[in-house]
Structure formats: structure tokens, C-alpha cells
Amino acid sequence: MIEYFGHSMFLIDRKIVIDPHDGGSIGLPKPSIDKVDLVLITHDHYDHNAYEILSYNDMKMKYYGYISYQNYKITSYKAYHDKEKGRRRGETAIYKIEDSEGNVIVHLGDLGEYPLKEDLIKEISSPTVLMIPVGGLITIDYKEAASLVKDLKPQVVIPMHYWVRGHLMPLDPVDNFIKELGWKVVEGKKGIEKIEDKEAIYLLTV
């Protein structure tokens, strides 16, 4: 089960939250969640690191390496928030989460680096679900995101980190990415219970 709370924030199986925001500081609704088991934060920027709104058992901040947590295998890789090896915006973690049923979720954080190195592509390729920033400005843009999707070959994609009504960050909307990738779009869902589609963009609501 994957639930979306806007920007780059997701809740997995009601246990693991990735990149929590507080809502108000970016112009989105405050996330309606207060307790989780594990918090994963890709990098220490205000729109991704609002762990203080949550009660949690464990937290990893920009963690690189491997952990086994409950029934999940979690591997994290270092990437850059810009195309200058982090000199402008620093580093961001990429989290790969595998559950006991073999489903693999990859969250790319605020990836600004492009193209990715071949060894990293091999490590995170062919996931069940790919969560990818598409709004440009401070991450990869929609063309780079669409190209990266084709390199990584996920079963489905959930775009993130893009402009919606009320958002205070001047990001691009998701439309260009959808057109560029050309996959079918599944709309109107708050979350995903079970992945049955292939080559689908899940445009989740907040």
C-alpha cells in the first residue's frame, strides 16, 4: 500500500514514511498522519525533513548503505541534488525498498544529477514502482525524468516534486512529463493498494 501526501512524501504500508513535509511551509495541506515505524529522509532540506510532525520508532537522514527493517530490505545510494556534484545543492539519497513479496519501490529524492552512472542504474533498475521528481528548477526536468524512466524500466511511475495549485515553490506542473513519457495515466487515487498495471503513470491525489 502506497499513500501520497504531496510533494515527495509517501507512506508505505502505513509503516514507512519518506520525505515528510509539514504542509504549510510549501503551501500544501498538512499530512494527516502522526505515527509511523520508520522515517526515511533523502536530504536535510525544509520541504523533505519535517520529521518533527511525526511520532516514530526510527529515522534515517540521508543514509547510505543497507538495513533490514522488519520485513523490508532497504538500500540507499548517494546521488547529487544538482549537475555539479553537489556543489550547489548538496547530496540526496536514493532509497530502494524491497518487501517480503518481492515488490521494489525506488524513491529518487531530489535528484538533480543527470545522466546517472551505469553502475547506479543497474542497482536501481526494474523496480515495481519508481517515484521520480519531474518539476525541474532544482531537480531533473521533465525530459530528463522521462529519459531516466526509460533507462530504469519500472513497472509503474509515480511523479513527484511538481507544482500543483497552492504550491509555493515555482516548479513545473506534471503535464509535460506525462506528454513526454507517453504512458497511460491512472488518476483519482489517493494511493495504490496493488500494482497490476504496466507502463502506467499513477497521478495520485493529496
Side-chain angles (χ1 to χ4, degrees), residues 9-12 15-20 36 38-40 54:
M9 181 178 177
F10 294 88
L11 178 64
I12 300 171
K15 294 180 179 181
I16 301 173
V17 70
I18 308 175
D19 279 4
V36 295
L38 175 64
V39 180
L40 297 176
L54 301 165

Side-chain angles (χ1 to χ4, degrees), residues 84-175:
E84 300 173 23
K85 294 187 175 181
R87 286 192 290 271
R88 294 184 65 193
R89 298 187 184 92
E91 299 172 359
T92 186
I94 293 173
Y95 288 110
K96 181 173 74 174
I97 303 169
E98 183 176 356
D99 67 21
S100 58
E101 297 179 358
N103 296 304
V104 177
I105 296 170
V106 170
H107 187 293
L108 292 178
D110 262 12
L111 182 68
E113 177 182 355
Y114 183 86
L116 293 184
K117 295 177 181 177
E118 286 189 18
D119 58 343
L120 179 54
I121 287 177
K122 288 179 181 178
E123 287 287 330
I124 61 175
S125 67
S126 302
T128 314
V129 178
L130 178 66
M131 300 160 173
I132 186 169
V134 302
L137 185 67
I138 53 176
T139 68
I140 56 175
D141 63 25
Y142 72 92
K143 287 187 177 181
E144 293 164 336
S147 178
L148 189 53
V149 168
K150 293 171 184 176
D151 288 340
L152 294 178
K153 299 177 174 63
Q155 186 170 329
V156 302
V157 172
I158 304 176
M160 63 180 184
H161 208 275
Y162 56 87
W163 184 85
V164 294
R165 186 177 299 276
H167 204 311
L168 298 177
M169 300 178 72
L171 306 173
D172 292 331
V174 72
D175 309 68

Side-chain angles (χ1 to χ4, degrees), residues 17-35:
V17 70
I18 308 175
D19 279 4
H21 62 79
D22 63 7
S25 64
I26 58 174
L28 297 181
K30 182 178 179 180
S32 56
I33 174 176
D34 56 12
K35 187 174 183 180

